[in-house]
Amino acid sequence: MPRGIDASKRARAAAAVALLLLLAGCGGVAPGGPAPPDASSPESAPIDSRPSGTELNETADERLADVSFPAGFSRTGIDIATARERSVTFLRTEPVTGIAVERFRAGAYADYEYDATSERTRFRLDVHNGYVDVTRSEVYVDGGVRYSRSARNRDVSFEASNGSLAETRYRAADSMWAVASRVLTVADFRAVRTVDEDGERLIRYAPTGVAVRNATDIRGYLTVDRNGVVREAALAYDRAGESKRFEYAVAPRSADSEVTPPAWLPAARADA
C-alpha cells in the first residue's frame, strides 16, 4: 500500500478532489453550513465523460499490451469482491482524503467527505431527500474523543464522547465505498488505457453498459492503481427523464499532514 505523497503530489491530489467537489455541486460548502443554491440540482455541471467515445472504440489489447493487472482486474472485467477488499482496507488503514457524491433525482442527493490519518479522522455526510428534509452529520475524532455535529433542517446539536479512531474509520470507509459499489454493480467495465499521475501508472476503465432498463446517455470511468485500489469511479445516465450520477474519488495523503479540524469544533467542546 502506498504510504504517503510529497507536497507536490498532495497539492495535486487535493486539487483533484476539489475539482470533483465542484463538479458535484458542493464545492466551497462550509461543513454543516447552508447548501449553495444549486447544490440540489443534478444538472449542475455534468460528469466528466472520460474516456471519450473514440477511446471506447479502440482495441484494448493494443493499448494495454504491457500492462500488469492487479489481482481481480483484467482487460474485460473487475471482480467486485476483490476491488472492495483492497479499496476498503486502503480507506480504513492508510492516510487518505476523498469525496463521494450521489444524485438520485432532481433535488435528491448525498454528499460525502472523508479525511483521515493515523491520528485524526473527519467524516461528513449531507443528505437531501428531494422534498423537505435536509440532514447533515459530521464527526471528528482526535485524541480518543469523538466530536459530532448533527443538523436536520434548522435544528443543530453537538456531542462529545469517547471515540475510537478505528471504529470511525471502519464506518466511514463502508459509507464511502457504498458509492463506488453502486457504480460497479450497475455498470460493466473494460480496460481502455493507462494514465500516469505523479509517476504512478494507473489503469483506466470505461463502461460498456448498465444493468438499467431504458438507460440513455451513459457516461463514466473507473481508475485503479497497481495495488487494486479503486481511486476513481464515476457513472452517469438518464432514465425516464431523470439524471442519475454517482462519483467517488480518493487519494493517498502525506502521513505527517494534519486533518483540518471543523469550524464547529469549539461549539462541540463548549457544549460537552
Side-chain angles (χ1 to χ4, degrees), residues 39-113:
S40 61
S41 171
E43 293 80 24
S44 56
I47 194 172
D48 182 351
S49 56
R50 298 176 295 173
S52 68
T54 301
E55 287 166 332
L56 292 178
N57 293 327
E58 295 188 54
T59 302
D61 288 345
E62 293 178 359
R63 305 200 67 189
L64 302 168
D66 63 341
V67 171
S68 176
F69 285 83
F73 294 82
S74 69
R75 288 177 172 79
T76 57
I78 299 170
D79 179 72
I80 298 177
T82 302
R84 182 191 187 282
E85 187 275 325
R86 299 291 179 88
S87 301
V88 171
T89 298
F90 172 73
L91 289 170
R92 291 175 180 172
T93 61
E94 300 296 325
V96 61
T97 182
I99 66 98
V101 299
E102 298 176 290
R103 297 294 183 266
F104 307 104
R105 61 180 185 276
Y109 65 84
D111 292 339
Y112 308 73
E113 186 175 1

Side-chain angles (χ1 to χ4, degrees), residues 184-228:
L184 282 165
T185 54
V186 170
D188 293 321
F189 287 88
R190 78 176 179 92
V192 292
R193 65 189 177 101
T194 61
V195 294
D196 292 320
E197 295 184 5
D198 298 314
E200 185 176 12
R201 193 178 200 188
L202 307 177
I203 303 172
R204 178 67 51 78
Y205 284 76
T208 58
V210 299
V212 177
R213 203 175 278 181
N214 300 321
T216 61
D217 194 22
I218 302 167
R219 295 159 289 146
Y221 59 93
L222 182 144
T223 303
V224 62
D225 68 17
R226 60 186 175 82
N227 296 305

Side-chain angles (χ1 to χ4, degrees), residues 163-177:
S164 165
L165 190 71
E167 181 180 356
T168 300
R169 295 197 65 173
Y170 185 96
R171 294 178 180 274
D174 280 355
S175 295
M176 290 284 294
W177 179 253

